[in-house]
């Protein structure tokens, strides 16, 4: 409960991926250690697109918009704020050892710091184009490894320890970001998502029945109790 790892296929379609490739070809990539917390930095070797560059900013805006517009992502994550996505590349030999992401990000942001409730990785390279480089997430049942198709995304609780396995051939390319959710607690988000999914299935089956109305009422009232807008 509350450790839902959500895989979203085709978060970025082929046209968006082509636009991103053009933008990122114009971007500057630098040592990625600069954006990690002081302890995570010790185990991080990769390169990241420099966010100051206009091409990187445009690319980040495209990924943010895709996340925000995705109905399943919205229902499961309940985004309040999405941090500007970072674009990371891991060449052969690069990795990101076990770490937990910073709880608060952008401490200098005029809008106040973003609390990282949900972490997101969008895979940009085809899995057959590189070896290794799995995203490995710890949960109560052990470790789970993810290496998704280009354009697919995974959203997982930012509360977890996770790592990126060393790349042994080719180059791993991803966009990563963090979301402050309207619903801080992952177990509550999961309940809301389950109810929302059930209510949609019920509506498809029997329309706006009395049972549907009760389910919709419960979903709305739990959201009212738990959301922190
Ligand atoms: Ni991380």
């Amino acid at each position: 409960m509350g450790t839902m790892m959500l895989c979203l296929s085709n978060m970025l379609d082929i046209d968006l991926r082509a636009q991103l490739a053009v933008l990122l070809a114009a971007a500057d990539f630098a040592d990625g250690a600069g954006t990690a917390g002081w302890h995570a930095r010790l185990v991080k070797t990769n390169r990241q697109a420099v966010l100051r560059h206009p091409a990187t900013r445009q690319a980040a805006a495209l990924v943010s918009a895709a996340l925000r517009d995705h109905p399943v992502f919205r229902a499961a994550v309940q985004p309040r704020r999405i941090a500007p996505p970072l674009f990371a590349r891991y060449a052969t030999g690069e990795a990101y050892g076990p770490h937990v992401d910073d709880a608060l990000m952008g401490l200098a942001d005029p809008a106040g710091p973003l609390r990282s409730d949900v972490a997101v990785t969008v895979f940009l390279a085809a899995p057959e184009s590189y070896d290794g480089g799995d995203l490995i997430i710890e949960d109560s049942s052990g470790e789970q490894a993810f290496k998704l198709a280009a354009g697919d995304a995974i959203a997982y609780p930012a509360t977890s320890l996770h790592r990126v396995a060393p790349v042994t051939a080719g180059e791993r390319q991803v966009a990563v970001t963090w979301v402050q959710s309207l619903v801080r607690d992952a177990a509550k988000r999961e309940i809301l998502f389950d109810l929302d999914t059930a209510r949609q299935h019920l509506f498809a089956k029997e329309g706006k029945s009395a049972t549907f109305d009760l389910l919709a009422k419960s979903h709305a009232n739990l959201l009212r109790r738990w959301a922190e807008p």
Side-chain angles (χ1 to χ4, degrees):
M1 187 65 170
T3 56
M4 184 171 55
M5 299 178 198
L6 185 72
C7 292
L8 300 149
S9 61
N10 211 32
M11 171 61 74
L12 305 176
D13 64 23
I14 194 160
D15 292 339
L16 254 178
R17 297 206 299 279
Q19 282 184 60
L20 281 180
V22 171
L23 288 167
L24 293 176
D28 294 325
F29 280 77
D31 183 0
T35 57
W38 61 268
H39 43 90
R41 191 171 303 167
L42 304 173
V43 291
K44 183 179 187 184
T45 55
N46 71 1
R47 285 150 302 120
Q48 282 173 193
V50 176
L51 202 55
R52 288 188 305 275
H53 196 290
T56 309
R57 285 175 183 272
Q58 278 184 51
L62 288 175
V63 173
S64 291
L67 291 169
R68 216 173 265 291
D69 291 346
H70 194 285
V72 179
F73 181 81
R74 271 213 308 267
V77 175
Q78 303 275 356
R80 181 174 180 276
R81 289 171 68 191
I82 300 176
L86 301 173
F87 296 93
R89 292 179 175 172
Y90 294 73
T92 302
E94 294 185 326
Y96 197 164
H99 66 279
V100 66
D101 299 330
D102 283 347
L104 297 175
M105 298 179 171
L107 296 172
D109 192 319
L114 177 142
R115 187 187 65 227
S116 60
D117 296 319
V118 179
V120 181
T121 295
V122 188
F123 292 78
L124 301 178
E128 54 277 13
S129 70
Y130 61 103
D131 292 335
D134 294 50
L135 170 65
I136 299 167
I137 304 169
E138 277 188 16
D139 70 6
S140 48
S141 59
E143 287 188 331
Q144 290 198 62
F146 298 90
K147 186 172 180 179
L148 306 183
D152 288 6
I154 176 167
Y156 60 99
T159 47
S160 59
L161 274 170
H162 54 275
R163 62 192 164 94
V164 176
V167 171
T168 56
E171 186 176 66
R172 177 185 196 261
Q173 301 177 354
V174 292
V176 294
T177 189
W178 295 268
V179 183
Q180 180 168 334
S181 176
L182 289 163
V183 181
R184 177 198 301 231
D185 185 80
K188 289 176 179 169
R189 283 199 301 275
E190 188 168 333
I191 291 170
L192 288 166
F193 183 51
D194 286 347
L195 279 174
D196 193 30
T197 307
R199 129 186 117 145
Q200 289 187 39
H201 287 173
L202 197 68
F203 188 86
K205 229 163 109 180
E206 54 188 61
K208 195 178 165 310
S209 63
T211 314
F212 169 84
D213 284 345
L214 273 178
L215 207 49
K217 178 184 161 195
S218 299
H219 175 266
N221 286 338
L222 284 174
L223 188 56
R224 263 185 210 98
R225 291 181 87 91
W226 292 340
E228 303 167 88

